[in-house]
């Protein structure tokens, strides 16, 4: 039988926020990952160093005043800022972004 592919493990990067890095490209300053937010968790405000593309897989995710549902796609341009990102239900998303994004106070 063929060997089953074993992906990377989930890593908790902050309380209630876990990531699973799928691919990274340092030369292009890009990272592709799965991100999981627990119910009631808010992601820190941040400025995008590069284009961010997010596909919501399950749960609900709010970005500012926009509610994303499973299957929804969100794109943010370099230099833009997400002030409030949170999930009331918990969620999992597929995310391609820059690892150089800066967190805002």
């Amino acid at each position: 039988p063929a060997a089953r592919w074993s992906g990377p493990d989930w890593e908790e990067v902050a309380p209630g926020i876990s990531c699973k890095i799928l691919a990274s490209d340092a030369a292009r300053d890009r990272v592709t990952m799965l991100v999981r937010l627990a119910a009631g968790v808010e992601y820190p405000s941040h400025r995008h160093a590069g284009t961010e593309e997010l596909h919501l897989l399950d749960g609900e995710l709010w970005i500012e005043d926009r509610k994303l549902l499973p299957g929804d796609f969100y794109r943010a341009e370099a230099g833009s800022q997400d002030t409030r990102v949170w999930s009331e239900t918990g969620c999992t998303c597929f995310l391609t972004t820059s690892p150089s994004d800066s967190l805002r106070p």
Side-chain angles (χ1 to χ4, degrees), residues 16-38:
I17 302 174
S18 298
C19 295
K20 182 184 281 204
I21 304 293
L22 302 175
S24 59
D25 184 341
R28 292 179 53 224
D29 194 36
R30 303 296 290 157
V31 64
T32 300
M33 60 186 145
L34 292 173
V35 178
R36 190 166 54 197
L37 270 65

Side-chain angles (χ1 to χ4, degrees), residues 5 15 20 34 36 51 58-59 73 77 87 92 100:
W5 180 72
K20 182 184 281 204
L34 292 173
R36 190 166 54 197
T51 302
D58 67 43
F73 178 80
E77 299 302 324
S87 180
T92 304
S100 301

Side-chain angles (χ1 to χ4, degrees), residues 3-63:
R4 184 155 185 237
W5 180 72
S6 175
D9 291 331
W10 285 96
E11 177 184 345
E12 188 170 37
V13 296
I17 302 174
S18 298
C19 295
K20 182 184 281 204
I21 304 293
L22 302 175
S24 59
D25 184 341
R28 292 179 53 224
D29 194 36
R30 303 296 290 157
V31 64
T32 300
M33 60 186 145
L34 292 173
V35 178
R36 190 166 54 197
L37 270 65
V41 169
E42 187 161 338
Y43 192 85
S45 174
H46 57 282
R47 181 170 304 280
H48 302 112
T51 302
E52 175 180 280
E53 295 179 325
L54 180 150
H55 183 238
L56 190 64
L57 302 175
D58 67 43
E60 297 173 355
L61 180 67
W62 286 86
I63 300 177

